[in-house]
Amino acid sequence: MGNLNVAAVGAPGLAADIGKKGTVSDMTFYEVKEGSDSITLIEPSKYPDKLSSLFYATEMSEFVILTVDKIDSFLGETIVMVDSQKRSKGWIVLRNYIQPEQLKPLIAGTCLEGYEFVEEDPTAMRIALIDMAKAEKRTAGDGTCGSCPVDSHFNVKGVGTVVLGSVADGYFKVHDKMTVWPVKKEVVLRSIQKHDIDAQDGVKGDHVGLALKGIESDELDRGFVCSTDPSIKMTQKVTGKVTYNKYYRGELKDGMMVHVGHWMQMVPARIEKASGKDADVEMSFDGQIIHKPGDEGVVMYLEGGKLRVIGTIVLP
């Protein structure tokens, strides 16, 4: 059973031509199924008004389709976001007679530099994406504990609490005991579904529905993490160097309020100390951020005008 999570960013509409429309929130999900293999396309339907919509869509994905119908600041911000999350596999679709030569200077030096320019042919794209999903051959045999950040949650009659999300790393299986962060509550994984089909395990990259025993839906929120991984931690303060993207002209200042994105979290943080782009930054979170040691967070400044993505920082 293979699955491929695809962020459909840039100009809207292409995902609807490739897949069947599913859940709609600040992201719109589209699905394609062929036998036991599937594609999940995620469109950031509230972007550019909500930067979080773009962040979550790309954060949940392993592959990106960037559709370009005009060259503007929102295209630039989208390129910077994708590059900050190091999504190095993808396609670029050009509309309105835009030529590759017009885009290449914008993606030079970014992870999008290796993207393939493809024709806008939804049927051919659907076939190629399914072939990619089949080739994933996800297995649970590596012995690695797994984590699933929560995108949405609800109560299902006769089933109980269900959360939806994409497996961030590792794997877990039915009947595993999991910890729900940040509440640190132990639950039992009653069942797993992938695209409405029962499964025995969840593997990195799977888009899953998890039925949990031991917690109520109203105790959960987007950004919580269900995990079997003992290395998961929560951090309230971070000191480290921010790696600025090459397009961000400003720099962090004492007292600025930023947001740090990781998994399905966008956590507000205050800059306590900043003394130039080459120096360490000290920041304090409004609450705590959930992560594994060494994970990277995307630093965003929502009042930043045309470019709200600053760069990245390594979490301790």
Side-chain angles (χ1 to χ4, degrees), residues 4 11 36 48 60 95 106 114 172 182 236 240-241 280 286 304 306:
L4 184 68
S36 61
M60 295 179 75
R95 293 175 175 170
L106 300 178
F172 42 75
Q236 190 167 19
K241 184 176 179 180
D280 280 355
D286 182 8
K306 291 184 178 180

Side-chain angles (χ1 to χ4, degrees), residues 196-208:
D196 300 321
I197 299 172
D198 288 337
Q200 290 302 304
D201 55 46
V203 183
K204 180 180 179 179
D206 284 341
H207 191 66
V208 294

Side-chain angles (χ1 to χ4, degrees), residues 21 38 82 119-120 126 205 209 221 268 277 290 292 308:
K21 190 174 184 179
S38 56
V82 172
E119 295 295 323
E120 188 169 354
R126 186 184 307 116
D221 203 353
K277 287 188 174 181
I290 308 161
K292 293 172 62 177
R308 296 166 286 181

Side-chain angles (χ1 to χ4, degrees), residues 6-8 13-21 30-33 39-41 43 63 65 67 91 93 95 118-130:
V6 180
L14 180 57
D17 293 332
I18 296 175
K20 180 181 178 181
K21 190 174 184 179
Y30 299 86
E31 295 183 346
V32 178
K33 296 180 186 177
I39 308 162
T40 303
L41 296 113
E43 190 176 80
F63 192 88
I65 303 175
T67 304
W91 293 334
V93 176
R95 293 175 175 170
V118 299
E119 295 295 323
E120 188 169 354
D121 182 340
T123 300
M125 297 169 86
R126 186 184 307 116
I127 292 169
L129 290 169
I130 279 289

Side-chain angles (χ1 to χ4, degrees), residues 94-162:
L94 300 179
R95 293 175 175 170
N96 298 335
Y97 305 104
I98 295 172
Q99 298 301 307
E101 290 71 25
Q102 295 173 261
L103 200 66
K104 285 180 179 178
L106 300 178
I107 62 175
T110 74
C111 69
L112 290 81
E113 197 169 25
Y115 281 23
E116 180 184 0
F117 288 90
V118 299
E119 295 295 323
E120 188 169 354
D121 182 340
T123 300
M125 297 169 86
R126 186 184 307 116
I127 292 169
L129 290 169
I130 279 289
D131 286 344
M132 289 183 206
K134 290 178 179 178
E136 286 293 317
K137 295 181 180 178
R138 305 184 193 279
T139 64
D142 62 359
T144 305
C145 298
S147 302
C148 182
V150 175
D151 171 36
S152 57
H153 55 93
F154 44 85
N155 187 68
V156 176
K157 188 176 181 180
V159 177
T161 301
V162 174

Side-chain angles (χ1 to χ4, degrees), residues 221-233:
D221 203 353
R222 173 185 273 181
F224 282 29
V225 178
C226 304
S227 183
T228 58
D229 193 333
S231 73
I232 293 285
K233 60 187 293 190

Side-chain angles (χ1 to χ4, degrees), residues 27-53:
M27 296 175 286
T28 303
F29 291 81
Y30 299 86
E31 295 183 346
V32 178
K33 296 180 186 177
E34 184 176 295
S36 61
D37 301 303
S38 56
I39 308 162
T40 303
L41 296 113
I42 311 166
E43 190 176 80
S45 43
K46 296 295 185 182
Y47 180 77
D49 292 339
K50 295 180 67 174
L51 184 61
S52 58
S53 179

Side-chain angles (χ1 to χ4, degrees), residues 83-96:
D83 185 54
S84 295
Q85 293 170 302
K86 298 179 173 61
R87 299 298 184 256
S88 59
K89 297 179 181 179
W91 293 334
I92 297 174
V93 176
L94 300 179
R95 293 175 175 170
N96 298 335

